[in-house]
Amino acid sequence: MNVLGIESSCDETSVAIISDGKLVSNLISSQDFHANYGGVVPELSSRAHLQILLPLVKKSLSDANITSDQIDLVCATAGPGLIGALLVGLTFAKGFAYSINKPFIPVNHIEGHIFSGFLMEEKPEFPYLCLVVSGGHTLLLLVESDTEIKKLGTTIDDAAGEAFDKISKLLGLGYPGGPKIQEVAMNQPTDFVDFPIAQCKNEFDFSFSGLKTAVLRFIQKEYGDATKIPNEHLPLIAASFQYSAIRALIANTDKALRKYKVNSISLVGGVAANKMLRDEFQKLSTKYKKKLVIPSLEFCGDNGAMIAYRGLTLYEAGIKYSFDFNAFPSLNDHTFIK
Ligand code: KG4
Ligand code: ZN
């Protein structure tokens, strides 16, 4: 069985093919030009997806050594994400599936991330605790099966990735912020500033807007504005921020591991690429003696492989979708997260 997966929710166009359960192609084209604007420009993103999608699909078919009519199932991200960007991948996928008379499965992008651990050799075992940390979402979940996902906590304001992006912008480090902050903070002491971590009403919720304000206030108080930060202080502030953001993520994950009986722990989404966060999850895994599954870097950021995989599990669960399924902007549509 050949499954085509298409991802176009934000600034990565990605196409993947899973053949008989094995990933045979996962092509990712990143729209780096958004860095010139300090963030993703939705209209430019849609246009770039439109230009690159067909060549990527052709290349993916050729990598898999199959022709288009040998595809058995077509999956595409339907949301959440930028509507214009989503429409490019979703409309293409519907047209492609219709033209070869094969089923089409719309995939929730966050569910793609949640199950991305299954792309690894060592897979999560149900029930597992999953921390999703992406540019737009932060979720702590109890994943009991392919179709039962319990939300334990979420962010009440900014997402973790968003906090990295905003602080990076503030420090003049550019976009996307996560990799830039990680780079300058590498091997730096983390105690230059003791930034606070928020306590929320729900013990598993997160809040990053206070941390963002604390960094801003510190800079204003100490230097006047960010352009006046001495060169030698910049890495120290970045490292202190990164440490606080990660401490907040780890604190809630640790609490959940004390409360819920799980077989595995999984860390997924773009921020899961962060070295310090990965190391901290390794420590939790040792502390609680739980199997840990963190996708390799290729599967942390947005990718078509996780969309093909998630689409395949929905197809195998017997769920059918019609061609009039539409793109959606928010997480709460078309999801098994309850
Ligand atoms: O999952 P993703 O690729 O796209 C969304 O679904 O949003 O996540 C992108 C986010 C961005 O905010 C980016 O700054 C962050 O992941 N990110 C990182 C790192 N690499 C990417 N954050 C922290 N450390 C990293 N190494
Ligand atoms: Zn994502």
Side-chain angles (χ1 to χ4, degrees):
M1 172 150 185
N2 296 314
V3 185
L4 180 70
I6 294 175
E7 157 62 34
S8 72
S9 66
C10 192
D11 55 349
E12 259 93 31
T13 321
S14 181
V15 177
I17 295 176
I18 294 179
S19 291
D20 297 329
K22 193 167 169 280
L23 182 67
V24 291
S25 172
N26 186 39
L27 306 173
I28 304 170
S29 165
S30 294
Q31 304 172 357
D32 298 330
F33 60 83
H34 293 293
N36 302 330
Y37 304 92
V40 178
V41 183
E43 180 58 24
L44 297 183
S45 161
S46 314
R47 292 181 197 200
H49 286 305
L50 204 53
Q51 277 188 334
I52 195 78
L53 184 54
L54 186 58
L56 278 189
V57 171
K58 285 185 174 164
K59 170 88 173 60
S60 195
L61 287 167
S62 126
D63 286 351
N65 209 10
I66 55 172
T67 54
S68 52
D69 52 1
Q70 286 175 284
I71 293 287
D72 302 293
L73 181 67
V74 183
C75 314
T77 305
L82 303 170
I83 279 295
L86 289 164
L87 280 172
V88 175
L90 189 71
T91 310
F92 178 92
K94 287 186 201 175
F96 189 91
Y98 188 79
S99 73
I100 56 171
N101 201 20
K102 295 288 165 57
F104 146 79
I105 306 261
V107 173
N108 180 304
H109 178 84
I110 297 300
E111 290 186 9
H113 279 302
I114 294 169
F115 294 96
S116 58
F118 287 88
L119 296 165
M120 304 302 291
E121 195 127 323
E122 278 293 324
K123 300 177 192 328
E125 286 165 31
F126 296 120
Y128 66 92
L129 187 74
C130 184
L131 179 69
V132 184
V133 272
S134 74
H137 298 88
T138 306
L139 292 158
L140 189 59
L141 306 161
L142 187 63
V143 188
E144 296 176 309
S145 73
D146 281 333
T147 51
E148 291 162 296
I149 309 167
K150 257 196 212 122
K151 180 159 65 179
L152 306 180
T154 185
T155 178
I156 58 167
D157 39 58
D158 293 348
E162 197 176 352
F164 274 89
D165 293 337
K166 285 180 176 169
I167 296 301
S168 176
K169 197 169 183 174
L170 175 66
L171 297 177
L173 296 171
Y175 180 87
K180 309 263 184 200
I181 299 238
Q182 163 163 316
E183 196 186 324
V184 300
M186 195 65 83
N187 302 324
Q188 298 293 325
T190 54
D191 59 355
F192 182 63
V193 197
D194 185 16
F195 291 124
I197 68 168
Q199 299 293 333
C200 299
K201 245 208 268 148
N202 168 2
E203 60 174 336
F204 298 122
D205 275 351
F206 305 90
S207 166
F208 291 104
S209 79
L211 172 58
K212 183 186 63 191
T213 310
V215 177
L216 178 66
R217 293 280 175 269
F218 173 82
I219 291 169
Q220 288 171 333
K221 184 168 156 273
E222 295 296 318
Y223 316 106
D225 70 70
T227 59
K228 304 200 184 76
I229 301 173
N231 282 344
E232 64 275 19
H233 283 190
L234 198 78
L236 300 173
I237 299 169
S240 299
F241 156 75
Q242 175 175 255
Y243 178 66
S244 293
I246 287 170
R247 245 174 50 224
L249 295 169
I250 293 298
N252 286 11
T253 310
D254 192 313
K255 256 185 274 172
L257 283 167
R258 266 179 269 153
K259 184 160 175 178
Y260 295 96
K261 244 181 94 57
V262 292
N263 286 323
S264 311
I265 319 171
S266 194
L267 168 70
V268 300
V271 185
N274 186 277
K275 167 95 174 59
M276 185 186 246
L277 184 56
R278 295 171 86 92
D279 290 348
E280 290 300 320
F281 260 70
Q282 189 60 58
K283 289 182 198 158
L284 282 180
S285 149
T286 309
K287 179 174 170 190
Y288 290 95
K289 299 190 179 59
K290 301 289 177 200
K291 179 178 187 177
L292 174 66
V293 181
I294 309 177
S296 54
L297 296 189
E298 170 189 14
F299 305 127
C300 285
D302 294 343
N303 66 87
M306 68 182 191
I307 302 306
Y309 178 82
R310 179 57 180 157
L312 178 59
T313 60
L314 294 176
Y315 176 77
E316 285 173 342
I319 307 167
K320 299 211 164 33
Y321 298 94
S322 82
F323 282 106
D324 59 11
F325 194 100
N326 217 338
F328 56 89
S330 106
L331 173 67
N332 303 324
D333 298 293
H334 180 47
T335 182
F336 289 90
I337 304 172
K338 295 286 174 290

